[in-house]
Amino acid sequence: MVDAYAGRRERVREHCSAAGVDAALITRAANVRYLTGCAPCGATLLLTRERALLSLPDDLPPDDSGEHLIAPDVTQVPVSAGADTALAAAAAAGRLGVRDLAVEEHDLTVTRHRAVAGLVEGARLADLGQVVERLRVVKDEHEIADLRIAAEIADQALGELLESILVGRTERHLAMELERRMIDHGADRAAFPVSVGTGGHSGQPAHQPTDRRVEEGDFLTVVMGAQYRGYRVSTARTFVIGATPAPWQVELHRLVFRAQRAGREALGPGVEQCVPDRVARQVLEAAGHTEASPHPVGHGIGLEIREAPRLGPSDMGKLDSRVPVTVGPGVHLPGKGGVRIEDTLVVRPLEEGGPELLTITTKELLAL
């Protein structure tokens, strides 16, 4: 991995050289981690043509896990607790005589941007833009291996929960238990707050768990993901509690399953980003669900839960191989509940077997 980080930093240097700037100041936490392996801690990376300086708080506990090794060619510059590491790195740039400095304007506040400019007085500040984010879109096999482990952790935690008694337990309790189970199985943490929705809450996007208790005959939707070594996955499943599913539940689940399968099967290198969304919506609209969802059917995922590319109806870029994405359509019927089914997959060409499914918990409509 040390070589992988060095290769990533070299690509950023090549961009800076082509843009006519001497150095780059990387402040966005996911980008710092991508270029150095440093776990999020408020660190800032100064990348010049000859050096890589990592400015980080001096009160960090020692890392005895061996998971966040910083390469020897990255000079660590401790900064007093509470001080701004971006300003310390900018001061170092001034001392090194940097004349043209690229910064991540989309990450810096106006106040921090002005402070950085004051510390490299006389230097020209340019916008680095989302150069690092674009590099992060296509994953290497090290990153995909971490995503596979994150998916295995999420699947294992969900599978264990489904074997337990659910009736009478609250949405909030079930969400907390899922987060605990993922950590017990080796996750850094939950990739995002777990959502559990039952009854009329099921199938709602971004539902916040409440004290509503699970009842017989309810739909139960779980939206969850694990984070492993910084890399995140997302999955959603919908089940029926206790009783034999009602006909409307069977029909709605079958419909969303078909839409999700259409979106998954549309993935491939060179496919326009809007296609998975379009084919999934067509399945739902053909069944009479014509209400326009403001949410795209999916998005990229990795060091952040939402990354490029976006798989929405107006996104016209094209997918590349080795890009992990989510595909997760859903339908919610007000007052009744709904279904959401989501997977994390890696885009692969057909000669490599097509899209690689990472989250493998069954999508069947189980009665729990």
Side-chain angles (χ1 to χ4, degrees):
M1 278 304 298
V2 169
D3 290 341
Y5 294 131
R8 296 168 186 174
R9 293 193 296 273
E10 192 55 36
R11 289 196 289 276
V12 177
R13 286 190 175 104
E14 289 170 359
H15 172 86
C16 290
S17 294
V21 297
D22 302 328
L25 193 71
I26 313 296
T27 51
R28 187 166 181 171
N31 293 345
V32 173
R33 183 163 196 164
Y34 179 74
L35 296 172
T36 66
C38 177
C41 61
T44 297
L45 175 66
L46 174 65
L47 198 61
T48 72
R49 290 171 180 168
E50 299 83 19
R51 297 180 177 87
L53 279 69
L54 185 64
S55 170
L56 70 176
D58 64 2
D59 60 346
L60 296 177
D63 177 24
D64 299 323
S65 66
E67 293 182 0
H68 310 298
L69 297 176
I70 308 300
D73 64 324
V74 176
T75 302
Q76 299 183 42
V77 182
V79 177
S80 299
D84 190 332
T85 60
L87 302 189
R95 292 192 297 271
L96 292 171
V98 170
R99 307 308 301 165
D100 296 279
L101 179 65
V103 301
E104 294 183 309
E105 291 186 352
H106 59 289
D107 184 71
L108 290 176
T109 64
V110 172
T111 299
R112 293 179 84 201
H113 189 282
R114 288 172 177 166
V116 166
L119 289 167
V120 284
E121 189 175 353
R124 178 180 70 92
L125 262 60
D127 183 16
L128 183 64
Q130 298 197 344
V131 168
V132 184
E133 286 89 344
R134 288 196 293 272
L135 291 177
R136 286 167 41 200
V137 170
V138 176
K139 271 52 173 183
D140 61 35
E141 293 302 334
H142 295 290
E143 295 175 287
I144 293 173
D146 287 341
L147 286 165
R148 286 195 194 101
I149 295 173
E152 291 170 4
I153 290 170
D155 282 331
Q156 190 170 3
L158 180 56
E160 290 174 355
L161 184 74
L162 299 183
E163 294 174 357
S164 63
I165 296 174
L166 301 176
V167 174
R169 300 169 69 183
T170 68
E171 295 174 348
R172 199 188 314 274
H173 183 198
L174 294 176
M176 291 173 61
E177 181 172 339
L178 281 167
E179 293 194 11
R180 178 186 61 79
R181 286 181 182 272
M182 287 190 288
I183 292 171
D184 287 346
H185 288 303
D188 305 340
R189 59 181 62 87
F192 53 88
V194 173
S195 173
V196 175
T198 186
H201 297 160
S202 58
Q204 284 185 340
H207 171 66
Q208 299 296 314
T210 70
D211 288 326
R212 187 191 189 282
R213 295 185 182 276
V214 178
E215 299 177 1
E216 291 272 349
D218 277 349
F219 260 149
L220 175 73
T221 298
V222 176
V223 185
M224 60 181 290
Q227 176 180 310
Y228 178 75
R229 293 186 180 178
Y231 286 87
R232 310 175 188 211
V233 298
S234 181
T235 184
R237 296 290 187 268
T238 301
F239 309 99
V240 169
I241 299 300
T244 301
W248 75 270
Q249 291 175 320
V250 174
E251 181 181 349
L252 187 61
H253 189 277
R254 185 179 295 134
L255 173 66
V256 176
F257 174 81
R258 285 174 38 227
Q260 203 258 355
R261 181 177 60 191
R264 286 189 286 119
E265 292 177 348
L267 297 172
V271 173
E272 289 187 346
Q273 293 166 209
C274 63
V275 171
D277 185 282
R278 184 175 69 224
V279 298
R281 286 178 192 268
Q282 286 173 346
V283 172
L284 300 179
E285 290 171 357
H289 296 280
T290 57
E291 62 275 10
S293 170
H295 303 283
V297 75
H299 51 78
I301 194 168
L303 287 172
E304 295 177 293
I305 196 62
R306 282 182 174 80
E307 299 185 351
R310 205 179 81 127
L311 307 184
S314 60
D315 295 298
M316 302 306 293
K318 293 186 177 181
L319 295 172
D320 289 316
S321 185
R322 304 202 320 273
V323 175
V325 297
T326 65
V327 177
V331 172
H332 178 260
L333 305 178
K336 296 184 71 174
V339 175
R340 185 178 175 197
I341 301 173
E342 181 185 58
D343 283 310
T344 298
L345 309 97
V346 179
V347 177
R348 302 275 194 186
L350 288 177
E351 54 268 27
E352 294 181 12
E356 178 185 353
L357 181 64
L358 300 186
T359 47
I360 62 173
T361 295
T362 182
K363 290 183 276 287
E364 293 181 18
L365 181 56
L366 299 181
L368 305 175

